[in-house]
Amino acid sequence: MQTIYPLILIIHLICAIIFLGYLFFDVFIFPNIGKMFGSEIAKKAAAGIAARGTKIMPICVLGLIITGGMMVSNYIGKNMGFFSSNFQKLLMIKIALATIIVLMVITSLTYKFILKKPSPIGKFIHPVAVTLGFCIVILAKLMFYV
């Protein structure tokens, strides 16, 4: 695992950048499109962006889960424990926050593709996910200093 760890880390970071970048754009930048160009253009743009995002974002989330799971095996479990150090405690908080995001993504995709109904969390999934995502990034940096 140590030989491929840097590659896994790079893949994880790229997926995180794409995921958080998309959410940041959707939450903070895109809402102004309607104000600047009118609701008709905003609706068309939203449909186009959502169609592409629905294809890309699940792959990024899956990439984050797989690579994160591979990397976490170096730091917790077996003889190392789960809450033995501050590093592990912060890592477990990161995992809990990431699990919330994954559950929201699964719920949203289930409603969209299986139930074919609007998701009950559709209005607030992106603001919550971008907030949790930024918290995860901050925790990722703090883990090595606390």
Side-chain angles (χ1 to χ4, degrees):
M1 177 64 182
Q2 294 303 339
T3 56
I4 63 168
Y5 188 89
L7 177 64
I8 300 301
L9 177 62
I10 290 169
I11 293 169
H12 189 78
L13 290 174
I14 290 170
C15 288
I17 289 167
I18 293 168
F19 183 75
L20 283 178
Y22 175 82
L23 292 177
F24 182 84
F25 175 82
D26 190 56
V27 172
F28 294 107
I29 308 295
F30 189 70
N32 292 328
I33 299 293
K35 295 174 188 171
M36 294 176 67
F37 300 107
S39 63
E40 185 65 32
I41 291 175
K43 286 179 185 176
K44 288 180 181 179
I49 292 168
R52 180 64 64 135
T54 304
K55 293 176 183 173
I56 295 171
M57 297 317 289
I59 294 168
C60 284
V61 172
L62 185 60
L64 286 167
I65 293 168
I66 292 169
T67 57
M70 292 172 76
M71 290 187 303
V72 80
S73 67
N74 284 337
Y75 302 107
I76 64 170
K78 297 184 183 167
N79 301 336
M80 295 174 279
F82 291 90
F83 298 98
S84 302
S85 67
N86 287 335
F87 180 95
Q88 289 176 330
K89 291 173 187 171
L90 292 176
L91 182 58
M92 294 305 286
I93 293 169
K94 274 182 57 180
I95 292 169
L97 296 178
T99 301
I100 293 169
I101 293 173
V102 169
L103 291 174
M104 289 191 310
V105 168
I106 290 169
T107 301
S108 183
L109 292 175
T110 300
Y111 270 86
K112 182 173 180 78
F113 292 113
I114 296 174
L115 302 176
K116 308 265 190 233
K117 298 189 322 189
S119 173
I121 60 172
K123 297 282 187 207
F124 68 92
I125 184 172
H126 286 183
V128 171
V130 77
T131 303
L132 294 176
F134 281 121
C135 291
I136 290 169
V137 168
I138 290 167
L139 287 170
K141 293 291 123 192
L142 286 176
M143 286 182 346
F144 293 97
Y145 298 105
V146 176

